Amino acid sequence: MAVSHGKSAIIQYDNAAGSLTDISTSVQSITFTPVSDSAETSTLGTTSKSYIPGLKDCTCTLTGIYNATISAIMNSALGNTTTKSLQYDPQGSTSGLDRWTCETFVTSFSIDTNLGGAATWSADIQVTGNVTLAAVP
């Protein structure tokens, strides 16, 4: 199992023209959360609950340093009915490492400025459909 520092992560997101764009240098934090629903199947007389897996889902939260490129990409995606591609390489783009890909919608985009620090941004992203995990070619 390869171990890596978070600084090696690479995240790409579709720009307004629909082309994957490396936004890694504007991102400070990525929280990529695949989950699965579960349905309880317990019946009368049992002493422990039982479950079956349900539908899969995934969300992604990005935060980083604000700039005009991020503003253009996220603003064009917010509320857009056309999905945007996301490609996430958590350990970098070395051949054989994990690569997550999916189609998404931006559900929120916020900009935070304060007197004592750099302007920052955050975005909440909802995956639609399947998430693909494959090796970086």
Side-chain angles (χ1 to χ4, degrees):
M1 170 175 64
V3 177
S4 65
H5 194 278
K7 68 180 182 180
S8 300
I10 297 172
I11 185 115
Q12 296 185 63
Y13 201 72
D14 274 353
N15 61 22
S19 299
L20 276 175
T21 302
D22 187 345
I23 60 170
S24 304
T25 59
S26 298
V27 176
Q28 292 180 309
S29 174
I30 303 165
T31 304
F32 190 78
T33 312
V35 297
S36 176
D37 293 338
S38 60
E40 186 177 349
T41 58
S42 309
T43 60
L44 296 174
T46 60
T47 58
S48 297
K49 291 182 177 184
S50 60
Y51 296 88
I52 57 172
L55 297 172
K56 292 181 180 180
D57 192 11
C58 186
T59 58
C60 182
T61 300
L62 304 175
T63 62
I65 302 298
Y66 180 80
N67 62 53
T69 300
I70 285 297
S71 182
I73 289 172
M74 294 301 156
N75 190 53
S76 73
L78 184 64
N80 195 325
T81 58
T82 303
T83 62
K84 299 290 185 175
S85 297
L86 181 146
Q87 180 176 289
Y88 176 38
D89 302 337
Q91 296 181 299
S93 59
T94 301
S95 180
L97 295 176
D98 285 351
R99 172 170 284 167
W100 298 81
T101 57
C102 49
E103 291 299 306
T104 69
F105 294 101
V106 172
T107 58
S108 73
F109 173 57
S110 67
I111 302 161
D112 183 30
T113 55
N114 66 65
L115 181 61
T120 60
W121 66 278
S122 65
D124 292 317
I125 297 171
Q126 177 65 56
V127 172
T128 183
N130 291 326
V131 175
T132 302
L133 172 60
V136 174

